[in-house]
Amino acid sequence: MKVRGLFIGVDRHADPLIRDLTGATRDATALCALFRDSIKGLEAKLLVNEEAGHASLRAALEAALVDAPEDGVVLLGFAGHGTKDHRLVAHDTSVKDIPNTSIDMGTLASLFRRCRARAVICMLDCCFSGGAAARVPDIGLAARAMSLGEVAGQGRHLFTASLPNQEALEDPSTRHGLFTGAILEVLTQATEPVGVLAVAERVQDLVRAKAGTMGYPQQPTIFGHIEGGLTPPAGVRGPNWTAAFPPRSAITVTGPFAELASLGIPAPVIDAWSSLYHAGLNSLQLTAINEYGALEGASLLVAAPTSAGKTFVGEIAAIRAIAEGRKAVFLLPYRALVNEKFDDFLALYGEMLGLRVARCSGDWQDQVAEVLRGKYDIAFFTYEKFLSMAVGSPHLLYQIGLVVLDEAQFVTDPGRGMSVELLLTNMVSARERGIAPQLIALSAVIGDTNRFEDWLRCRLLISTDRPVPLTEGVMDRSGAWRSRRPDGTVVIEQLVDRRSIVQRHEKPSSQDMIVPLAVTGGEGREGDRISQSARQRVWRSAVSGPGTRSATFHIGSRPPSRGGSLGEYQCPA
């Protein structure tokens, strides 16, 4: 008996109005790999995302079905969006021309009838109803009265993820559709071949139970009949599975960025980090990776001083999540920080990896529509904006694989602490429904955490080491800086040329002095006014430029330091 298979998964859609998914390509890849390992001689084809345009889908379906031998068996798997009028959505499906850019059930039924194979099993992990969390795009189509049983028949099994009026859900924890995840579980747990109907019954039980915990009804349905039955082999995770889902390397990193390659960090990113941050990973980052599982999906609360490099812990985890096909979000306290991080990541990762970077801060530049449709890889939010979007559009949490909460100590702030507590409460309660993205909360050293980490259900990583000392002092109107060293010695040094300090009016006063708090470090005349972009260059030169100061002033924005290489002066107003 000759067996051939065609497995299709579409996460990304060219049309900006069609919401992207997170588990469809993973579903198709898993089914293809499992059946290749389990069925000897299987001829299998895998089409994902851009490969799965409507024309190529139709051609692949015809090749798999119409050309099948009479004694053969055909396995079909589709994971992606369905529509309310019973169509399969391709990568290039256009909402302006749905009939000519999608695969309708009538076409599939016609191909089934033309197929000469003894048996055809078609698994559809999509749905034909509405719902923001479901595998169906909200593009205003009216439901069409059509029995899916018309597609099946003698020798033809159609196995659908849900009833026509139900949603087909994705499991955020496994990043599989509930339906495909259940099929994989049943087949891999079997110790001997299991009949198709027995598999269907077990899958129905698993999906109903999981959907119930998520607060939705979902019941897979099987149509059709095969004379004499059909018994799939027990699932085997062999070389094809290992190639598709390689196990994570259990290694201990020691500092060089090159070691992160075995943990899933892409090579272009490693090269960029190596050129920007010559020192490699510091002790805090090594501890987070080696001992706390920051790159293995573990949630943690990191409490460390400014300049300790804790933000880079979240950045490394974000790149690791994106490399796995998950989405990452950063939650920040201020719009200025959202814009700064957005520009920084867009310049570094947007051009290098083609990552889709988005921001939502309540500003005119917000990309709310793109985020709600999943058209991003990493997004930056203010606390309040994320809270409002997560409450107003609950499916937002289904998309996310990693949440990095920066400045987590804001939970104690009298004014804005309520917003931080509410957004964290929403995430904690979502875990009861199986929605549990990795959480990395970054905080300044706050003393007693009052079991904050227990409430978040994550581990606590505390460091009091400050790689670069924070020097505090006072600068007078002459540009002289007076500070106290750790041993108590008072030091006075001329940090700013007194000629560069401007008195605006005739009578001197503390409110009437203009002091240049950033200089070009040799790129221009001392005292020149410096633009925001120039200030950023000053910070970057302090990281890696030869002969630069070990510490510099900053004003208006935080330095874009990821590795804790910069010193800071705090200057009283």
Side-chain angles (χ1 to χ4, degrees):
M1 180 177 64
K2 194 170 185 178
V3 183
R4 59 174 57 184
L6 173 63
F7 303 94
I8 303 156
V10 185
D11 278 331
R12 291 196 175 189
H13 295 271
D15 194 309
L17 296 180
I18 300 179
R19 180 170 53 88
D20 284 357
L21 298 169
T22 59
T25 60
R26 185 176 170 85
D27 285 346
T29 302
L31 285 176
C32 185
L34 186 67
F35 283 120
R36 277 175 170 166
D37 287 332
S38 307
I39 301 175
K40 186 177 181 180
L42 173 67
E43 296 178 1
K45 185 174 184 178
L46 175 66
L47 297 176
V48 297
N49 289 333
E50 291 81 0
E51 302 169 339
H54 71 280
S56 57
L57 280 190
R58 186 181 183 105
L61 286 169
E62 288 187 0
L65 291 167
V66 178
D67 298 336
E70 293 184 5
D71 63 340
V73 174
V74 180
L75 300 176
L76 299 177
F78 175 84
H81 278 309
T83 68
K84 294 180 181 179
D85 63 342
H86 297 169
R87 297 175 183 272
L88 305 182
V89 179
H91 166 74
D92 58 352
T93 293
S94 170
V95 297
K96 295 181 179 180
D97 190 14
I98 294 289
N100 295 315
T101 57
S102 61
I103 306 296
D104 65 89
M105 288 295 102
T107 298
L108 195 60
S110 175
L111 291 174
F112 274 24
R113 288 191 291 270
R114 293 168 57 192
C115 180
R116 298 175 300 164
R118 181 177 74 85
V120 177
I121 300 177
C122 181
M123 298 161 283
L124 299 182
D125 198 343
C126 61
C127 66
F128 304 109
S129 65
R135 286 183 167 180
V136 63
D138 185 12
I139 50 180
L141 294 173
R144 184 174 67 181
M146 173 183 177
S147 171
L148 294 178
E150 296 175 13
V151 181
Q154 182 63 39
R156 307 291 181 260
H157 272 314
L158 180 65
F159 201 7
T160 64
S162 61
L163 295 173
N165 62 344
Q166 292 178 338
E167 301 178 5
L169 305 173
E170 290 189 324
D171 184 348
S173 60
T174 65
R175 292 184 293 125
H176 283 300
L178 264 60
F179 175 66
T180 300
I183 292 175
L184 295 171
E185 181 176 343
V186 171
L187 292 178
T188 54
Q189 288 184 352
T191 57
E192 58 185 12
V194 185
V196 169
L197 295 180
V199 171
E201 183 177 353
R202 180 60 181 149
V203 167
Q204 288 174 332
D205 292 340
L206 291 174
V207 171
R208 280 197 298 260
K210 181 62 178 180
T213 64
M214 297 173 66
Y216 293 88
Q218 181 178 339
Q219 177 179 323
T221 306
I222 189 165
F223 302 92
H225 175 70
I226 296 177
E227 197 70 39
L230 186 65
T231 305
V236 176
R237 291 191 176 103
N240 288 289
W241 182 276
T242 302
F245 305 101
R248 292 183 177 179
S249 302
I251 70 164
T252 298
V253 295
T254 61
F257 289 116
E259 297 174 337
L260 296 176
S262 60
L263 295 175
I265 302 299
V269 175
I270 291 175
D271 293 340
W273 288 346
S274 299
S275 63
L276 286 172
Y277 318 117
H278 305 302
L281 299 168
N282 66 19
S283 59
L284 175 69
Q285 295 150 4
L286 291 173
T287 301
I289 294 171
N290 292 330
E291 301 178 26
Y292 285 77
L295 300 189
E296 298 174 7
S299 295
L300 64 152
L301 169 63
V302 183
T306 300
S307 84
K310 57 183 179 289
T311 303
F312 196 49
V313 173
E315 187 169 335
I316 298 172
I319 296 302
R320 176 70 178 95
I322 295 168
E324 286 187 320
R326 297 182 288 151
K327 299 182 186 298
V329 301
F330 276 72
L331 311 184
L332 304 163
Y334 305 116
R335 288 183 183 178
L337 286 178
V338 168
N339 292 331
E340 179 182 319
K341 287 294 183 183
F342 171 83
D343 292 338
D344 196 17
F345 273 60
L346 185 63
L348 183 57
Y349 302 114
E351 297 177 4
M352 181 195 315
L353 297 179
L355 297 188
R356 300 170 298 176
V357 186
R359 59 181 160 187
C360 296
S361 64
D363 206 345
W364 66 273
Q365 302 174 102
D366 279 2
Q367 296 164 273
V368 173
E370 290 91 334
V371 168
L372 291 179
R373 294 191 182 104
K375 302 289 188 179
Y376 71 98
D377 297 302
I378 187 166
F380 298 91
F381 300 80
T382 55
Y383 301 149
E384 289 78 8
K385 190 63 178 181
F386 182 79
L387 175 61
S388 66
M389 291 178 63
V391 172
S393 303
H395 76 280
L396 178 64
L397 284 179
Y398 284 80
Q399 303 174 352
I400 299 171
L402 169 69
V403 175
V404 179
L405 174 66
D406 202 8
E407 310 294 354
Q409 72 274 6
F410 265 76
V411 74
T412 64
D413 184 81
R416 303 179 66 198
M418 181 179 294
S419 296
V420 179
E421 186 172 353
L422 285 174
L423 72 86
L424 289 173
T425 299
N426 188 39
M427 291 182 59
V428 170
S429 63
R431 289 175 177 168
E432 304 299 327
R433 306 192 304 274
I435 306 168
Q438 180 186 7
L439 172 65
I440 295 182
L442 309 174
S443 171
V445 177
I446 53 178
D448 186 2
T449 62
N450 198 24
R451 301 185 67 181
F452 185 34
E453 68 278 8
D454 293 339
W455 179 58
L456 295 178
R457 302 178 193 175
C458 63
R459 297 179 65 190
L460 173 63
L461 170 58
I462 295 181
S463 174
T464 57
D465 294 335
R466 188 184 291 276
V468 178
L470 178 65
T471 304
E472 298 187 34
V474 177
M475 186 169 66
D476 63 24
R477 69 183 67 236
S478 69
W481 173 262
R482 181 186 296 266
S483 61
R484 187 185 301 273
R485 289 177 176 172
D487 62 3
T489 305
V490 176
V491 178
I492 300 176
E493 53 184 326
Q494 192 72 29
L495 286 186
V496 180
D497 191 309
R498 64 175 64 244
R499 293 170 299 178
S500 66
I501 300 176
V502 180
Q503 179 181 311
R504 293 188 299 170
H505 300 290
E506 293 183 2
K507 296 182 178 181
S509 69
S510 60
Q511 290 82 23
D512 220 19
M513 307 302 292
I514 301 176
V515 180
L517 294 182
V519 294
T520 58
E523 294 178 16
R525 295 190 311 276
E526 189 171 54
D528 285 351
R529 295 184 63 186
I530 303 170
S531 66
Q532 173 70 19
S533 60
R535 288 200 297 271
Q536 297 288 347
R537 290 198 299 274
V538 171
W539 283 109
R540 293 190 183 280
S541 67
V543 177
S544 56
T548 56
R549 299 179 62 91
S550 61
T552 184
F553 285 100
H554 73 274
I555 184 170
S557 65
R558 292 170 54 185
S561 170
R562 299 183 180 82
S565 304
L566 297 177
E568 301 173 44
Y569 283 136
Q570 288 188 341
C571 183

